[in-house]
Amino acid sequence: MPSPTRSVVLGACVSLMLFAFSGLPAIGACVLCIGFLSPGLATVWHYSKAADGRLAAMDGVRLGAQSGLLGFAMLILLSTLSWLLSGRPDLMGPVIEQMQADESGLLAIIVASAPEGEDPMAEFESMMRSPLFGLLSALMLAGLLSLGGAIGGALGSTVFGRTVSDDEL
């Protein structure tokens, strides 16, 4: 069987390119959903071409999860590099400002329902800037990308490869 490394890197790069377009207003949500499944689909498609279509379903899941995790690592690396090169000292500042500007969002509901004299914004900003929040957010994104890649890999092994049992390989 061929080495899956190129296929995994290709799947991660496809996912990364789709996440770059997820901020577009008209198609952002659709591209974001496809971005979660794309690492597995692209990886399995590329690998099944190299393996002459012989691919066990669990191999598709494994390859998809690997490409999802690699896509997550590349996304974090490029986001951090972009943040460092931008010269902004505050990473969460623009996110908090955008949430404050959205008057119909969850933050507006929290502010409106807060008891008189309390400042829920101070607590919210403190939570958003905490290292624990950043770590939990990163772990959740890694899990989602890995799960999405695994689902995409399972779909891809069904669609693109002649699925074989592990005994036949």
Side-chain angles (χ1 to χ4, degrees):
M1 296 302 284
S3 172
T5 305
R6 281 187 184 174
S7 301
V8 169
V9 171
L10 173 78
C13 288
V14 167
S15 176
L16 194 62
M17 286 188 299
L18 285 173
F19 280 120
F21 291 107
S22 66
L24 297 175
I27 60 171
C30 294
V31 171
L32 189 61
C33 289
I34 293 169
F36 280 107
L37 297 175
S38 67
L41 287 170
T43 299
V44 168
W45 170 79
H46 186 265
Y47 187 75
S48 68
K49 296 295 179 190
D52 296 325
R54 296 178 53 86
L55 185 67
M58 283 309 296
D59 286 339
V61 171
R62 180 181 50 81
L63 290 172
Q66 288 174 351
S67 65
L69 284 175
L70 181 61
F72 164 75
M74 292 169 66
L75 183 66
I76 293 295
L77 180 69
L78 289 177
S79 297
T80 304
L81 185 63
S82 171
W83 172 65
L84 290 174
L85 293 176
S86 72
R88 288 187 179 155
D90 187 11
L91 178 63
M92 293 306 293
V95 175
I96 293 171
E97 290 170 10
Q98 183 179 4
M99 292 182 80
Q100 289 172 341
D102 182 19
E103 295 183 11
S104 64
L106 178 63
L107 189 58
I109 295 170
I110 292 171
V111 169
S113 64
E116 192 70 32
E118 281 191 26
D119 184 21
M121 287 305 302
E123 291 178 34
F124 176 74
E125 287 184 30
S126 171
M127 179 197 69
M128 289 286 286
R129 287 187 166 89
S130 75
L132 181 62
F133 180 79
L135 178 65
L136 290 176
S137 298
L139 288 175
M140 187 175 76
L141 182 59
L144 284 174
L145 277 172
S146 177
L147 179 64
I151 292 170
L155 289 172
S157 66
T158 303
V159 173
F160 300 122
R162 181 175 64 88
T163 306
V164 296
S165 67
D166 290 329
D167 298 336
E168 293 181 60
L169 292 174

